[in-house]
Coordinates of all heavy atoms in Angstrom, one line a residue:
L1 N 82.6 -218.7 13.2 CA 84.0 -218.2 12.9 C 85.0 -219.4 13.1 O 84.7 -220.3 14.0 CB 84.4 -217.0 13.8 CG 83.6 -215.8 13.5 CD1 83.9 -214.7 14.5 CD2 83.8 -215.3 12.1
A2 N 86.0 -219.4 12.4 CA 87.0 -220.5 12.5 C 88.1 -220.2 13.5 O 88.2 -219.1 14.0 CB 87.7 -220.7 11.1
T3 N 88.8 -221.2 13.9 CA 90.0 -221.0 14.7 C 91.2 -221.7 14.0 O 91.0 -222.9 13.6 CB 89.8 -221.7 16.1 OG1 88.6 -221.2 16.7 CG2 91.0 -221.6 17.0
P4 N 92.2 -221.0 13.8 CA 92.4 -219.6 14.1 C 91.7 -218.7 13.1 O 91.2 -219.2 12.1 CB 94.0 -219.4 14.0 CG 94.4 -220.4 13.0 CD 93.4 -221.6 13.2
R5 N 91.6 -217.4 13.5 CA 90.9 -216.4 12.6 C 91.6 -215.1 12.8 O 92.4 -214.9 13.7 CB 89.5 -216.3 13.1 CG 89.3 -215.9 14.5 CD 87.8 -216.1 15.0 NE 87.7 -216.0 16.4 CZ 87.8 -217.1 17.2 NH1 88.0 -218.3 16.7 NH2 87.7 -217.0 18.5
T6 N 91.3 -214.2 11.8 CA 91.9 -212.9 11.9 C 91.3 -212.1 13.1 O 90.1 -212.2 13.3 CB 91.5 -212.1 10.6 OG1 92.0 -212.9 9.5 CG2 92.2 -210.7 10.6
P7 N 92.2 -211.5 13.9 CA 91.6 -210.7 15.1 C 90.6 -209.7 14.6 O 90.6 -209.2 13.5 CB 92.9 -210.0 15.6 CG 94.0 -210.7 15.0 CD 93.6 -211.3 13.7
A8 N 89.6 -209.5 15.5 CA 88.5 -208.5 15.3 C 88.3 -207.7 16.5 O 88.6 -208.1 17.6 CB 87.3 -209.3 14.9
E9 N 87.8 -206.5 16.3 CA 87.4 -205.6 17.4 C 86.2 -204.8 17.0 O 85.9 -204.6 15.8 CB 88.6 -204.8 17.8 CG 89.1 -203.8 16.8 CD 90.3 -203.0 17.3 OE1 91.1 -203.5 18.0 OE2 90.3 -201.8 16.9
R10 N 85.6 -204.2 18.0 CA 84.4 -203.3 17.7 C 84.9 -202.0 17.2 O 85.9 -201.4 17.6 CB 83.7 -203.1 19.0 CG 82.8 -204.3 19.4 CD 81.9 -204.0 20.5 NE 80.9 -203.0 19.9 CZ 79.8 -202.7 20.5 NH1 79.5 -203.2 21.6 NH2 79.0 -201.8 20.0
V11 N 84.2 -201.6 16.1 CA 84.5 -200.3 15.6 C 83.1 -199.6 15.5 O 82.3 -200.0 14.6 CB 85.1 -200.3 14.2 CG1 85.3 -199.0 13.6 CG2 86.5 -201.1 14.2
G12 N 82.8 -198.8 16.4 CA 81.4 -198.2 16.5 C 80.5 -199.4 16.9 O 80.7 -200.1 17.8
E13 N 79.5 -199.6 16.1 CA 78.5 -200.7 16.3 C 78.8 -201.9 15.5 O 78.0 -202.9 15.5 CB 77.1 -200.2 16.0 CG 76.7 -199.1 17.0 CD 75.2 -198.8 17.0 OE1 74.4 -199.6 16.4 OE2 74.8 -197.7 17.5
R14 N 79.9 -201.9 14.8 CA 80.3 -203.1 14.0 C 81.4 -203.8 14.6 O 82.1 -203.3 15.5 CB 80.7 -202.6 12.6 CG 79.7 -201.7 11.8 CD 78.3 -202.2 11.7 NE 78.2 -203.4 10.8 CZ 77.2 -204.2 10.8 NH1 76.1 -203.9 11.4 NH2 77.1 -205.2 10.0
V15 N 81.7 -205.1 14.2 CA 82.8 -205.8 14.5 C 83.6 -206.1 13.2 O 83.0 -206.7 12.3 CB 82.5 -207.2 15.3 CG1 83.8 -207.9 15.6 CG2 81.6 -206.9 16.5
L16 N 84.8 -205.6 13.2 CA 85.6 -205.7 12.0 C 86.9 -206.4 12.3 O 87.5 -206.2 13.3 CB 85.9 -204.3 11.4 CG 84.7 -203.4 11.1 CD1 85.2 -202.0 10.6 CD2 83.8 -204.0 10.1
T17 N 87.3 -207.3 11.3 CA 88.6 -207.9 11.4 C 89.7 -206.9 11.1 O 89.5 -205.9 10.6 CB 88.7 -209.1 10.5 OG1 88.7 -208.7 9.1 CG2 87.7 -210.2 10.7
K18 N 90.9 -207.3 11.5 CA 92.1 -206.4 11.3 C 92.2 -206.1 9.9 O 92.7 -205.0 9.5 CB 93.3 -207.2 11.8 CG 94.5 -206.3 11.8 CD 95.7 -207.1 12.5 CE 96.9 -206.3 12.4 NZ 98.1 -207.0 13.0
D19 N 91.8 -207.0 8.9 CA 91.9 -206.7 7.5 C 90.6 -206.0 6.9 O 90.5 -205.9 5.7 CB 92.3 -207.9 6.7 CG 91.3 -209.1 6.9 OD1 90.3 -208.9 7.5 OD2 91.7 -210.2 6.4
G20 N 89.7 -205.6 7.8 CA 88.5 -204.9 7.4 C 87.2 -205.7 7.1 O 86.2 -205.1 6.7
R21 N 87.2 -207.0 7.3 CA 86.1 -207.8 7.0 C 85.0 -207.6 8.1 O 85.4 -207.6 9.3 CB 86.4 -209.2 6.8 CG 85.3 -210.1 6.3 CD 85.8 -211.5 5.9 NE 86.4 -212.2 7.0 CZ 85.8 -213.2 7.7 NH1 84.6 -213.6 7.4 NH2 86.5 -213.8 8.6
D22 N 83.8 -207.4 7.8 CA 82.7 -207.2 8.8 C 82.2 -208.5 9.2 O 81.7 -209.3 8.5 CB 81.6 -206.4 8.1 CG 80.5 -206.0 9.1 OD1 80.4 -206.6 10.2 OD2 79.8 -205.0 8.9
V23 N 82.4 -208.8 10.5 CA 82.0 -210.1 11.1 C 80.9 -209.8 12.2 O 80.7 -210.7 13.1 CB 83.2 -210.9 11.7 CG1 84.1 -211.4 10.5 CG2 84.0 -210.1 12.6
T24 N 80.3 -208.7 12.1 CA 79.3 -208.3 13.1 C 78.2 -209.4 13.3 O 77.9 -209.8 14.4 CB 78.6 -207.0 12.7 OG1 79.6 -206.0 12.6 CG2 77.6 -206.6 13.8
E25 N 77.7 -209.9 12.2 CA 76.6 -210.9 12.2 C 77.1 -212.2 12.9 O 76.4 -212.8 13.6 CB 76.0 -211.2 10.9 CG 74.8 -212.2 10.9 CD 73.8 -211.8 11.9 OE1 73.5 -210.6 12.1 OE2 73.2 -212.8 12.5
A26 N 78.3 -212.6 12.6 CA 78.8 -213.8 13.3 C 78.9 -213.7 14.8 O 78.5 -214.6 15.5 CB 80.2 -214.2 12.7
Y27 N 79.4 -212.5 15.2 CA 79.4 -212.2 16.7 C 78.0 -212.2 17.3 O 77.8 -212.7 18.4 CB 80.2 -210.9 16.9 CG 81.7 -211.2 17.0 CD1 82.4 -211.3 15.9 CD2 82.3 -211.3 18.3 CE1 83.8 -211.5 15.9 CE2 83.7 -211.5 18.3 CZ 84.4 -211.6 17.2 OH 85.8 -211.9 17.3
A28 N 77.1 -211.6 16.5 CA 75.7 -211.5 17.0 C 75.1 -212.9 17.1 O 74.4 -213.2 18.1 CB 74.9 -210.6 16.1
Q29 N 75.3 -213.7 16.1 CA 74.8 -215.1 16.1 C 75.4 -215.9 17.2 O 74.7 -216.6 17.9 CB 75.2 -215.7 14.7 CG 74.7 -217.2 14.6 CD 75.0 -217.8 13.3 OE1 75.2 -217.1 12.3 NE2 75.2 -219.1 13.3
G30 N 76.7 -215.7 17.5 CA 77.3 -216.4 18.7 C 76.7 -215.9 20.0 O 76.5 -216.8 20.9
A31 N 76.5 -214.7 20.1 CA 75.9 -214.1 21.3 C 74.4 -214.7 21.5 O 74.1 -215.1 22.6 CB 75.8 -212.6 21.3
R32 N 73.7 -214.7 20.4 CA 72.3 -215.3 20.5 C 72.4 -216.8 20.9 O 71.6 -217.3 21.7 CB 71.6 -215.1 19.2 CG 71.2 -213.7 18.9 CD 70.3 -213.6 17.7 NE 70.9 -214.1 16.5 CZ 71.5 -213.3 15.6 NH1 71.7 -212.0 15.9 NH2 72.0 -213.8 14.5
A33 N 73.4 -217.5 20.4 CA 73.5 -218.9 20.7 C 73.8 -219.1 22.2 O 73.3 -220.0 22.9 CB 74.6 -219.6 19.8
V34 N 74.7 -218.3 22.7 CA 75.1 -218.4 24.1 C 73.9 -218.1 25.0 O 73.6 -218.7 26.0 CB 76.3 -217.5 24.5 CG1 76.5 -217.5 26.0 CG2 77.5 -218.1 23.8
C35 N 73.1 -217.0 24.6 CA 71.9 -216.7 25.4 C 70.9 -217.8 25.3 O 70.3 -218.1 26.4 CB 71.3 -215.4 24.8 SG 72.2 -213.9 25.2
A36 N 70.7 -218.5 24.2 CA 69.8 -219.6 24.1 C 70.3 -220.8 25.0 O 69.5 -221.4 25.7 CB 69.7 -220.1 22.6
L37 N 71.6 -221.0 25.0 CA 72.1 -222.1 25.9 C 71.9 -221.7 27.4 O 71.5 -222.6 28.2 CB 73.6 -222.3 25.7 CG 74.0 -223.0 24.4 CD1 75.5 -223.0 24.2 CD2 73.5 -224.5 24.5
A38 N 72.1 -220.4 27.7 CA 71.8 -220.0 29.1 C 70.4 -220.2 29.5 O 70.1 -220.7 30.6 CB 72.2 -218.5 29.3
K39 N 69.5 -219.9 28.6 CA 68.0 -220.1 28.9 C 67.7 -221.5 29.0 O 67.0 -221.9 29.9 CB 67.2 -219.4 27.8 CG 67.2 -217.9 27.8 CD 66.3 -217.4 26.7 CE 66.4 -215.9 26.7 NZ 65.7 -215.3 25.5
L40 N 68.3 -222.4 28.2 CA 68.1 -223.8 28.2 C 68.5 -224.4 29.5 O 67.8 -225.1 30.2 CB 68.8 -224.5 27.1 CG 68.8 -226.0 27.0 CD1 67.4 -226.5 26.7 CD2 69.8 -226.5 26.1
Y41 N 69.7 -224.1 29.9 CA 70.3 -224.6 31.2 C 69.5 -224.0 32.4 O 69.3 -224.6 33.4 CB 71.8 -224.3 31.3 CG 72.5 -225.4 30.6 CD1 73.1 -225.1 29.4 CD2 72.7 -226.6 31.1 CE1 73.8 -226.1 28.7 CE2 73.4 -227.6 30.5 CZ 74.0 -227.3 29.2 OH 74.7 -228.3 28.5
S42 N 69.1 -222.7 32.3 CA 68.3 -222.1 33.3 C 67.0 -222.8 33.6 O 66.6 -223.1 34.7 CB 68.1 -220.6 33.0 OG 67.3 -220.0 34.0
A43 N 66.4 -223.2 32.5 CA 65.1 -223.9 32.6 C 65.3 -225.3 33.1 O 64.5 -225.8 33.9 CB 64.4 -223.9 31.3
A44 N 66.4 -225.9 32.7 CA 66.6 -227.3 33.0 C 67.0 -227.5 34.5 O 66.8 -228.5 35.1 CB 67.7 -227.9 32.2
Y45 N 67.7 -226.4 35.0 CA 68.2 -226.5 36.4 C 67.4 -225.6 37.4 O 67.9 -225.3 38.4 CB 69.7 -226.2 36.4 CG 70.5 -227.3 35.7 CD1 70.9 -227.1 34.4 CD2 70.8 -228.5 36.4 CE1 71.7 -228.1 33.8 CE2 71.5 -229.5 35.8 CZ 71.9 -229.3 34.5 OH 72.7 -230.3 33.9
A46 N 66.3 -225.2 37.0 CA 65.5 -224.3 37.8 C 64.9 -225.0 39.0 O 64.7 -226.2 39.0 CB 64.3 -223.6 37.0

């Protein structure tokens, strides 16, 4: 997602921008990336 961007919030199990665009996959991809970084640093600093 870009900065700045249209605000988004959860609507049920989806993440929708204020103008109705579904950005659920972008949020899921970002969460997966942060989890991967956490695992990487966890292994590196164990």
